[in-house]
Amino acid sequence: GRIWEVVKMDTPATTPTTPAAPTVAAFKQPSGAHDAYKQGDRVTYKGATWESTINANVWSPDAYPQGWKRI
Protein backbone atom coordinates (compact mmCIF):
# COMPACT_ATOMS: atom_id res chain seq x y z
CA GLY A 1 0.00 0.00 0.00
CA ARG A 2 0.86 3.61 -0.10
CA ILE A 3 2.13 5.63 2.82
CA TRP A 4 0.57 9.05 3.06
CA GLU A 5 2.48 11.85 4.68
CA VAL A 6 0.68 14.70 6.42
CA VAL A 7 2.22 17.96 5.30
CA LYS A 8 1.71 20.82 7.69
CA MET A 9 1.31 24.15 5.97
CA ASP A 10 3.13 27.14 7.39
CA THR A 11 0.30 29.10 8.95
CA PRO A 12 0.79 31.35 11.94
CA ALA A 13 -1.02 30.23 15.05
CA THR A 14 -2.67 33.61 15.35
CA THR A 15 -3.34 35.87 12.43
CA PRO A 16 -2.51 39.42 13.39
CA THR A 17 -5.59 41.55 12.98
CA THR A 18 -5.41 45.21 12.23
CA PRO A 19 -7.87 47.22 14.27
CA ALA A 20 -10.87 48.07 12.16
CA ALA A 21 -11.11 51.69 11.19
CA PRO A 22 -13.98 53.35 12.99
CA THR A 23 -16.91 53.51 10.67
CA VAL A 24 -18.24 56.95 9.92
CA ALA A 25 -21.97 57.05 9.39
CA ALA A 26 -23.48 58.83 6.43
CA PHE A 27 -25.02 62.21 7.15
CA LYS A 28 -28.64 61.84 8.17
CA GLN A 29 -30.78 64.95 8.43
CA PRO A 30 -31.59 65.40 12.12
CA SER A 31 -35.25 65.95 12.88
CA GLY A 32 -34.64 67.98 16.02
CA ALA A 33 -32.41 68.65 18.99
CA HIS A 34 -32.64 65.04 20.20
CA ASP A 35 -30.68 63.70 17.21
CA ALA A 36 -28.63 66.77 16.26
CA TYR A 37 -24.90 66.31 15.76
CA LYS A 38 -22.55 67.32 18.54
CA GLN A 39 -19.21 69.06 18.13
CA GLY A 40 -16.68 66.44 17.01
CA ASP A 41 -19.24 64.09 15.44
CA ARG A 42 -18.13 62.81 12.06
CA VAL A 43 -20.24 61.98 9.04
CA THR A 44 -19.70 61.12 5.41
CA TYR A 45 -21.42 63.42 2.96
CA LYS A 46 -21.12 63.41 -0.83
CA GLY A 47 -17.98 61.25 -0.73
CA ALA A 48 -16.09 63.24 1.91
CA THR A 49 -15.76 62.96 5.68
CA TRP A 50 -16.88 65.94 7.73
CA GLU A 51 -16.56 66.83 11.40
CA SER A 52 -19.12 69.01 13.15
CA THR A 53 -17.56 72.16 14.59
CA ILE A 54 -20.62 73.12 16.62
CA ASN A 55 -23.07 71.52 19.03
CA ALA A 56 -26.73 71.03 18.12
CA ASN A 57 -25.81 70.86 14.43
CA VAL A 58 -28.92 70.02 12.39
CA TRP A 59 -27.63 71.27 9.02
CA SER A 60 -25.85 69.49 6.19
CA PRO A 61 -22.38 70.66 5.12
CA ASP A 62 -24.06 72.22 2.06
CA ALA A 63 -26.70 74.07 4.07
CA TYR A 64 -24.34 75.38 6.77
CA PRO A 65 -20.67 75.02 5.75
CA GLN A 66 -19.56 77.02 8.84
CA GLY A 67 -20.80 74.14 11.01
CA TRP A 68 -18.58 71.52 9.35
CA LYS A 69 -14.90 70.95 8.74
CA ARG A 70 -13.82 68.64 5.91
CA ILE A 71 -11.29 66.11 7.15
Side-chain angles (χ1 to χ4, degrees), residues 37-53:
Y37 292 102
K38 297 184 292 298
Q39 186 173 357
D41 283 351
R42 292 182 174 182
V43 298
T44 56
Y45 183 76
K46 293 189 175 176
T49 301
W50 300 82
E51 184 175 291
S52 179
T53 59

Side-chain angles (χ1 to χ4, degrees), residues 10-65:
D10 272 346
T11 52
T14 57
T15 306
T17 53
T18 52
T23 54
V24 178
F27 175 82
K28 181 172 167 277
Q29 181 64 55
S31 56
H34 66 283
D35 62 350
Y37 292 102
K38 297 184 292 298
Q39 186 173 357
D41 283 351
R42 292 182 174 182
V43 298
T44 56
Y45 183 76
K46 293 189 175 176
T49 301
W50 300 82
E51 184 175 291
S52 179
T53 59
I54 59 172
N55 279 316
N57 193 348
V58 295
W59 301 280
S60 71
D62 280 346
Y64 190 67

